[in-house]
């Protein structure tokens, strides 16, 4: 039961701890999709904490989990629309951190260009995440794929 019905409190109950945001960061910006890939972050999350957070993220609808067809014991995690919509929040947190911790290394300049690019850049990156995690392509790409299948079938 949440302590209050405040929208900020309710949101923080889901994604307000450090590990949850770092897992989402790694999935968004490094395309880490397996437990083992997420386990090796620079922050060194403990395996039991990672397991707990992944279960919570799936239960809250921020991730989906499916069996990996290439390995019986592995699972593949994917972002959902709900988690992809957090990108602007994560970008703002990163920008705030960069502004207030100027000594932090500027790794991945293309990622920083996107984060500092504002809403239009965020929207483009969110479309890429949708394509990767949800199998959604831009409408033009979908039309081209349908047209190509139609031509191939003819």
């Amino acid at each position: 039961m949440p302590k209050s019905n405040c929208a900020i409190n309710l949101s923080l109950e889901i994604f307000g701890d450090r590990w949850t945001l770092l897992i989402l960061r790694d999935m968004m910006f490094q395309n880490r999709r397996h437990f083992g890939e997420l386990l090796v972050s620079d922050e060194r999350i403990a395996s039991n904490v990672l397991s707990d957070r992944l279960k919570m993220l799936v239960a809250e609808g921020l991730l989906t989990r499916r069996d990996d067809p290439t390995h019986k014991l592995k699972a593949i995690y994917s972002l959902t629309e709900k988690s992809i919509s957090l990108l602007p929040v994560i970008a703002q947190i990163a920008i705030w951190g960069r502004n207030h911790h100027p000594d932090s290394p500027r790794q991945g300049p293309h990622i920083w260009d996107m984060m500092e690019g504002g809403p239009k850049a965020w929207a483009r990156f969110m479309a890429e995440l949708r394509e990767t995690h949800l199998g959604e392509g831009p409408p033009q790409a979908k039309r081209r794929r349908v047209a190509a299948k139609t031509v191939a079938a003819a």
Side-chain angles (χ1 to χ4, degrees):
M1 187 77 174
K3 293 180 181 179
S4 79
N5 288 328
C6 165
I8 293 172
N9 176 65
L10 293 171
S11 300
L12 291 176
E13 296 245 349
I14 298 170
F15 62 79
D17 74 289
R18 119 184 227 194
W19 294 118
T20 300
L21 287 176
L22 292 174
I23 291 166
L24 294 174
R25 174 206 64 188
D26 288 351
M27 291 186 71
M28 288 179 178
F29 301 115
Q30 297 173 1
N31 197 31
R32 294 183 179 179
R33 310 279 299 274
H34 293 92
F35 186 90
E37 294 171 339
L38 292 162
L39 194 59
V40 298
S41 72
D42 291 342
E43 293 81 14
R44 299 181 184 192
I45 188 170
S47 61
N48 63 321
V49 174
L50 176 58
S51 179
D52 178 61
R53 294 310 184 283
L54 289 171
K55 286 176 188 170
M56 182 274 299
L57 286 165
V58 169
E60 290 291 342
L62 276 87
L63 297 180
T64 59
R65 180 188 186 279
R66 64 181 171 87
D67 292 335
D68 185 337
T70 66
H71 194 286
K72 290 182 181 181
L73 300 176
K74 286 186 177 182
I76 299 173
Y77 292 92
S78 296
L79 300 169
T80 64
E81 183 61 37
K82 193 173 179 180
S83 57
I84 292 170
S85 70
L86 280 170
L87 178 77
V89 174
I90 292 171
Q92 289 288 7
I93 291 170
I95 292 166
W96 183 91
R98 183 84 181 127
N99 290 338
H100 295 282
H101 296 283
D103 295 338
S104 62
R106 192 166 227 217
Q107 297 173 342
H110 63 285
I111 291 174
W112 277 104
D113 290 344
M114 179 278 300
M115 286 193 197
E116 293 171 342
K120 286 184 181 179
W122 302 340
R124 285 190 299 273
F125 189 69
M126 289 167 68
E128 290 176 25
L129 290 173
R130 286 184 190 99
E131 187 169 359
T132 300
H133 290 266
L134 306 176
E136 295 179 10
Q140 300 86 355
K142 282 186 181 177
R143 281 195 291 272
R144 281 193 297 267
R145 284 193 298 263
V146 169
K149 285 180 185 176
T150 304
V151 170

